[in-house]
Amino acid sequence: MFETILTVSLLILAISTLAFVYRVVKGPTTPDRVIALDAIGINLIGMTGIISILLDTDAFLSVILLLGVLAFIGTVAFSKFLEKGEIIENDRDQ
Amino acid sequence: MTEISKIIIGYLILQGAFLSIVAAVGLIRLPDPYTRNHAASKSATLGTISVLLGVFLFFWIIDGQINSRVLLGIIFVFMTAPVAGHLIGRAAYNTGVPLWERSIQDDLKKAREREKSRG
């Protein structure tokens, strides 16, 4: 019963990731795609947690933290690129 | 004890999956990037936090080890996902993505025009 619930939740998360992929492919503007990619990253965190319960190991729990950091940094870098045209500013004369 | 905690953990994980599919439906059906951002950044974040809380309780009660990495992951997702949503919404507004055509009020635009006229 417990494993059935976990498998069903994994399936639901996979379906919602598919919906996010639809928004990445279709999305009319660039911020739409960035939002959907960020949501995919956050969904992957939950899927990693459920899989590590199903396999009954705690070896994948660092991946959760790593994926959270990477999704945040990617989104921040992309929004800064959209807003200012560059990510790391080099000029000091302003 | 173990069966009750399994029920609670299963409920938490199922709730997280439900919130995630709510975010997916919102991302498909809502009309403009701001409302989509509203759906995705809140609902998907709470869903993932719920799933991670289930994972933490599973490893605590059934395996008998307190896993601080999952706790750190919960705190990190809770702190950074709204910030990422705010940044991408601001970038969308500043690059001139239009609001939905049936939106009524745009206070930021008025404030920008006032600043511009003041010099």
Side-chain angles (χ1 to χ4, degrees), chain A residues 1-82:
Chain A
M1 185 62 196
F2 187 59
E3 290 204 354
T4 316
I5 287 178
L6 289 183
T7 316
V8 167
S9 311
L10 203 56
L11 192 71
I12 293 173
L13 281 179
I15 290 171
S16 69
T17 308
L18 212 61
F20 293 149
V21 169
Y22 166 78
R23 183 47 76 191
V24 172
V25 171
K26 184 170 175 276
T29 61
T30 313
D32 274 325
R33 299 195 168 97
V34 182
I35 290 166
L37 282 173
D38 187 45
I40 286 175
I42 287 185
N43 247 358
L44 269 179
I45 297 173
M47 289 172 92
T48 312
I50 295 179
I51 286 174
S52 71
I53 288 185
L54 275 177
L55 297 180
D56 201 10
T57 169
D58 61 343
F60 300 139
L61 295 180
S62 319
V63 177
I64 290 174
L65 208 50
L66 191 66
L67 275 177
V69 174
L70 282 183
F72 177 62
I73 290 181
T75 309
V76 169
F78 216 103
S79 62
K80 196 168 177 192
F81 174 71
L82 282 179

Side-chain angles (χ1 to χ4, degrees), chain A residues 16 23 32 43 61-62 83, chain B residues 20 27-28 36 69 94:
Chain A
S16 69
R23 183 47 76 191
D32 274 325
N43 247 358
L61 295 180
S62 319
E83 212 172 324
Chain B
S20 173
L27 214 64
I28 285 185
R36 279 179 213 134
R69 282 173 292 177
N94 285 340

Side-chain angles (χ1 to χ4, degrees), chain B residues 60-76:
Chain B
W60 186 13
I61 296 172
I62 298 182
D63 275 9
Q65 50 161 339
I66 293 182
N67 210 306
S68 58
R69 282 173 292 177
V70 184
L71 265 186
L72 265 182
I74 292 174
I75 294 171
F76 195 81

Side-chain angles (χ1 to χ4, degrees), chain B residues 69-100:
Chain B
R69 282 173 292 177
V70 184
L71 265 186
L72 265 182
I74 292 174
I75 294 171
F76 195 81
V77 169
F78 186 69
M79 285 198 313
T80 58
V83 178
H86 165 77
L87 280 175
I88 194 65
R90 200 182 63 174
Y93 194 89
N94 285 340
T95 50
V97 174
L99 269 68
W100 190 27

